[in-house]
Amino acid sequence: MRIICWMVLMFLSCSTNASIDAYEFDNAEQEIEFRQLIQELRCPKCQNQNIADSNAGLAKDIKDRSFALLKQGKSKREISDYMVERYGDFITYRPPVKGSTWFLWFGPGILVLLVIVFLLFKKIATVRTDQVSRVLSGNDHERVNQLLKQYGATDDENK
Amino acid sequence: MANLSWLRYTVPLIIFIVIAVFLAQGLKNDPTHLPSTLVNKKMPAFSLTRLYDPQQIISTNDIKGPALVNVWATWCPSCFIEHPVLNALAGQGITVYGLNYKDEREAAIRYLEQYENPYKLVIYDDKGSLGLDLGVYGAPETFFVDVAGVIQYRHVGVVSEQAWQDELLPIWQNMLIGEAE
C-alpha cells in the first residue's frame, strides 16, 4: 500500500513539467514549428542550454519574440535568421555553412574518409607482405633445409 | 619499398601538435564573451519611454553620437561597480546614454538619485525589447555609437577604470578621429 502511495506521489510530481509554457497557437503545425525552433535556439546567457530548457529571463524574451514573429507569419528559418542578426551564429545550434564553420560541418566526414583510406592502405600492405613471405627464395630454401637437418628432419618430409 | 617507419612516429606527433595548438587557443577564449553582430551597423530603431517621464516617447533620433550607450539595471551588481566610472566619464564631458534594462522605473530613479546620474538621457526598456534588438545578453554592456549613429564597438562587462584606460579609451579616441576626417 505504501509503495502505491509513493508511486502516485511520484507521478503527480512529474506532471507539473507540462505546464510551463502559456502560448496560444493558431494550429498544431505552428506549435510544432515553435517547439522545433526553441529547441534549436541556444540561450546566449545560460550557455549549453537551448531556450526551451532555460528559465533565464533572456531565454523567455527570445521565446516571446519568436512566438510573436511566428504569429506574424514568419517562417522558422526567418526567425532563426532574425536572431542570428542580433546575437550572431552562437544563438543557433544549427550554424550556417561558411568559412569559419566549414570544418565543423565537414570535419567529421573528412576524418572518417581519412581513416577508411588509411585502413585500406594498411590492408593492401599486409596482403602484399603475406604474399611476399609465402614465396621463399632459393636462399631461404637452403637455410630452411639446413635448420631442419640440424633438428633431424628434411624440408621434403614436411611437404 | 621505401622505409616509411619514421611516419609511424612523426604523423601522430604532428597531429598531436596541431590539436594541442588548436586547444591551447581555445583556452584563451572566454566562452561567455560573444562578439556583437551589430558593430558597423546602425543603432536599431526603437520607440520607448524616457525613464523620468512615462509619457515621453524617445527614439533613435534622440541618441546623438559620439556617445556611449550603457545597458544597466538596479538588479545588476556589476553595474553598481562601474557606476562611479561612468560618473567620472560624464564628468569629463563624454556623452553617456543609459538603457535601463528590464528594471522597475521607481527603483531605477531612486538608484540614480542615490548614486548620481551620469546619463544624458535614460531609455526605459522594461521588456528588454531594445536589449534584444541590440543583442544584449547581460548587463552591463556598453555600446560605442558614432556621430552617424553607427555602433563602432560593444564592451561586455564592467567598464572599470583599468578597462577604460587600457582598452576602451583608444577605441573612443579612434572613433572621434574617424569622425574628424
Side-chain angles (χ1 to χ4, degrees):
Chain A
M1 190 59 210
R2 269 175 71 154
I3 291 172
I4 294 171
C5 278
W6 274 113
M7 280 173 79
V8 169
L9 280 174
M10 279 166 94
F11 276 116
L12 283 177
S13 68
C14 292
S15 62
T16 52
N17 276 341
S19 60
I20 294 170
D21 299 326
Y23 296 108
E24 295 269 338
F25 296 96
D26 295 339
N27 49 49
E29 288 100 75
Q30 200 180 47
E31 181 165 359
I32 292 168
E33 203 154 75
F34 183 71
R35 301 248 168 255
Q36 286 174 344
L37 185 66
I38 61 175
Q39 294 281 339
E40 278 171 24
L41 288 178
R42 183 183 189 182
C43 175
K45 186 72 203 167
C46 29
Q47 307 210 331
N48 301 332
Q49 261 192 325
N50 58 25
I51 59 167
D53 286 343
S54 172
N55 287 327
L58 181 59
K60 171 103 174 49
D61 291 350
I62 295 172
K63 265 187 276 189
D64 288 349
R65 184 70 69 96
S66 303
F67 178 70
L69 290 168
L70 201 62
K71 279 264 177 184
Q72 284 170 26
K74 292 266 194 303
S75 73
K76 216 176 79 185
R77 180 65 196 267
E78 281 172 318
I79 298 170
S80 184
D81 290 347
Y82 178 96
M83 293 303 171
V84 168
E85 222 170 83
R86 284 154 179 77
Y87 286 97
D89 291 337
F90 183 90
I91 189 115
T92 171
Y93 274 119
R94 206 181 278 278
V97 183
K98 60 181 191 186
S100 57
T101 59
W102 190 89
F103 190 72
L104 192 67
W105 277 99
F106 303 110
I110 291 168
L111 274 179
V112 168
L113 276 179
L114 280 177
V115 167
I116 289 172
V117 168
F118 174 74
L119 289 177
L120 276 177
F121 267 105
K122 218 175 137 84
K123 182 79 189 159
I124 290 167
T126 47
V127 166
R128 209 180 275 156
T129 48
D130 278 359
Q131 283 166 352
V132 168
S133 64
R134 277 198 200 110
V135 183
L136 294 179
S137 67
N139 239 356
D140 287 335
H141 264 289
E142 233 164 73
R143 197 167 149 62
V144 166
N145 272 331
Q146 200 184 343
L147 282 167
L148 286 170
K149 223 178 271 168
Q150 202 177 333
Y151 293 100
T154 59
D155 190 19
D156 301 325
E157 273 174 41
N158 270 351
K159 269 182 183 167
Chain B
M1 222 165 101
N3 187 7
L4 294 177
S5 65
W6 59 276
L7 277 177
R8 189 181 286 259
Y9 302 103
T10 45
V11 168
L13 182 69
I14 289 166
I15 293 174
F16 169 77
I17 290 170
V18 168
I19 293 176
V21 167
F22 194 70
L23 293 179
Q25 285 297 321
L27 281 179
K28 281 185 217 148
N29 277 341
D30 180 0
T32 61
H33 191 100
L34 306 183
S36 176
T37 55
L38 276 103
V39 168
N40 291 329
K41 288 193 193 154
K42 280 245 174 203
M43 179 96 183
F46 67 92
S47 174
L48 292 162
T49 62
R50 214 183 127 204
L51 177 70
Y52 285 101
D53 184 2
Q55 307 302 322
Q56 194 183 337
I57 304 285
I58 43 183
S59 69
T60 325
N61 294 336
D62 296 299
I63 305 297
K64 292 187 178 68
L68 301 176
V69 177
N70 176 249
V71 182
W72 69 285
T74 56
W75 48 259
C76 153
S78 314
C79 302
F80 182 73
I81 297 170
E82 72 175 4
H83 202 80
V85 181
L86 296 178
N87 283 334
L89 293 180
Q92 288 167 30
I94 292 174
T95 308
V96 187
Y97 293 100
L99 176 61
N100 185 238
Y101 179 64
K102 300 181 77 155
D103 207 349
E104 282 163 30
R105 201 184 286 271
E106 291 74 29
I109 291 172
R110 235 180 295 128
Y111 180 99
L112 291 183
E113 249 164 40
Q114 200 171 345
Y115 303 111
E116 239 181 278
N117 181 1
Y119 305 115
K120 188 179 175 194
L121 184 70
V122 185
I123 310 159
Y124 181 60
D125 187 14
D126 59 332
K127 300 275 194 296
S129 65
L130 177 56
L132 200 149
D133 285 331
L134 279 167
V136 169
Y137 62 95
E141 287 184 21
T142 305
F143 292 83
F144 289 57
V145 181
D146 71 9
V147 74
V150 174
I151 295 166
Q152 292 293 343
Y153 187 74
R154 187 233 337 231
H155 176 76
V156 176
V158 176
V159 178
S160 60
E161 193 79 52
Q162 180 104 43
W164 179 260
Q165 285 305 332
D166 298 347
E167 194 187 327
L168 301 174
L169 182 60
I171 295 168
W172 174 259
Q173 282 168 340
N174 264 339
M175 197 166 89
L176 298 189
I177 292 164
E179 276 150 18
E181 275 169 3

